[in-house]
Amino acid sequence: MSSVRDLKGQRFGRLVVLYDTGERKHRNVVWHCRCDCGTEVDVIGRNLTSGRTKSCGCYHRERVAEVHTVHGMSRKRKRHPIYGTWHAMLQRCENPNDHSYKDYGGRGITVCDEWHDSVIFINWALASGWREGLTLDRIDNDGNYESSNCRWITRKENSRNKRNNHLITFNGKTQTMAQWAEEVNIPYHTLKYRIGRYHWPIERALTEPVRRVKYAS
């Protein structure tokens, strides 16, 4: 068994490591840390040593306030959608207290250095096809937030790119269950029950017509 690197007493950004919590996530030690602002948080060791987590989240709150005075896109009641996307992206990747952190920062997903500047991110968004109603999507769900791995798509398209989607291969073609449901004109939940609950063979599930029950008036 490999030895654990002792981080106790070391500083990472605004965080000072206090002790090993004894908890392990993805085989990584979880350390209890104190932020310079006084808040104490638990952080995965690899996120400390890689520089992915540098504070309890206070840094980004301060950065948000700073950006507010720089470009005016975060004014109360008039906050621009791009600014909201930028802020949410940083929170889920770098704030251990964010409810989505476990699925992003906790998995090692990071935001590239240049996108820590909201102005650079906003300029990229406007130049890369952003429009009202689109959502930021990572092409590779295990990849980071950076220009080479991100695009703007509809929410429907985004739902198809979830890492927990059920992929189905039939006649040499692989798609999500939602895509197959749309293609063969079978309700998604019907297809889900056929395959998941009743364990129909894929061919039967995708090709057998849905029975329409008629009720006498």
Side-chain angles (χ1 to χ4, degrees):
M1 180 181 293
S2 58
S3 60
V4 175
R5 177 182 172 186
D6 188 3
L7 303 183
K8 183 178 179 180
Q10 295 188 42
R11 171 177 287 277
F12 299 90
R14 297 184 178 187
L15 297 172
V16 175
V17 180
L18 299 181
Y19 57 82
D20 179 349
T21 64
E23 183 181 356
R24 301 294 183 267
K25 287 187 177 180
H26 311 293
R27 299 182 180 180
N28 285 270
V29 178
V30 178
W31 297 91
H32 190 74
C33 307
R34 179 182 291 120
C35 185
D36 287 348
C37 71
T39 301
E40 296 188 5
V41 293
D42 293 338
V43 185
I44 293 176
R46 69 179 180 187
N47 289 348
L48 291 170
T49 56
S50 67
R52 293 167 184 164
T53 302
K54 301 178 181 179
S55 76
C56 68
C58 62
Y59 169 80
H60 295 297
R61 290 191 291 273
E62 292 171 8
R63 182 63 176 145
V64 166
E66 177 185 338
V67 171
H68 170 88
T69 64
V70 173
H71 56 70
M73 294 188 81
S74 63
R75 290 174 297 176
K76 282 188 176 181
R77 299 180 184 176
K78 294 184 179 180
R79 189 166 76 171
H80 196 284
I82 299 177
Y83 177 88
T85 297
W86 171 80
H87 181 237
M89 171 184 67
L90 288 176
Q91 287 297 300
R92 60 179 171 262
C93 287
E94 301 183 5
N95 181 0
N97 294 320
D98 187 87
H99 72 280
S100 295
Y101 178 81
K102 65 181 185 303
D103 295 319
Y104 292 86
R107 288 203 301 123
I109 305 302
T110 64
V111 177
C112 67
D113 290 342
E114 62 178 2
W115 279 7
H116 281 78
D117 186 323
S118 64
V119 175
I120 292 177
F121 177 78
I122 290 167
N123 288 338
W124 170 83
L126 294 173
S128 61
W130 175 89
R131 66 176 185 275
E132 192 78 34
L134 295 184
T135 185
L136 182 64
D137 175 67
R138 283 173 297 118
I139 299 169
D140 176 4
N141 270 308
D142 292 321
N144 299 321
Y145 282 100
E146 54 192 359
S147 60
S148 62
N149 191 45
C150 289
R151 59 187 174 180
W152 297 101
I153 61 176
T154 64
R155 293 191 180 279
K156 182 177 181 180
E157 292 171 325
N158 187 47
S159 68
R160 293 173 175 171
N161 197 34
K162 299 290 185 183
R163 63 190 179 100
N164 59 352
N165 270 341
H166 186 159
L167 296 177
I168 298 172
T169 299
F170 177 61
N171 286 340
K173 184 177 183 179
T174 301
Q175 298 186 116
T176 65
M177 189 179 296
Q179 289 172 311
W180 277 116
E182 184 175 341
E183 180 170 319
V184 301
N185 195 29
I186 293 177
Y188 173 80
H189 289 292
T190 298
L191 192 57
K192 183 177 180 180
Y193 270 83
R194 286 180 171 184
I195 295 173
R197 174 169 292 187
Y198 301 122
H199 307 294
W200 284 20
I202 296 299
E203 181 175 3
R204 181 188 177 194
L206 293 175
T207 59
E208 184 167 317
V210 177
R211 291 170 50 188
R212 307 294 180 182
V213 179
K214 295 183 178 180
Y215 295 93
S217 57

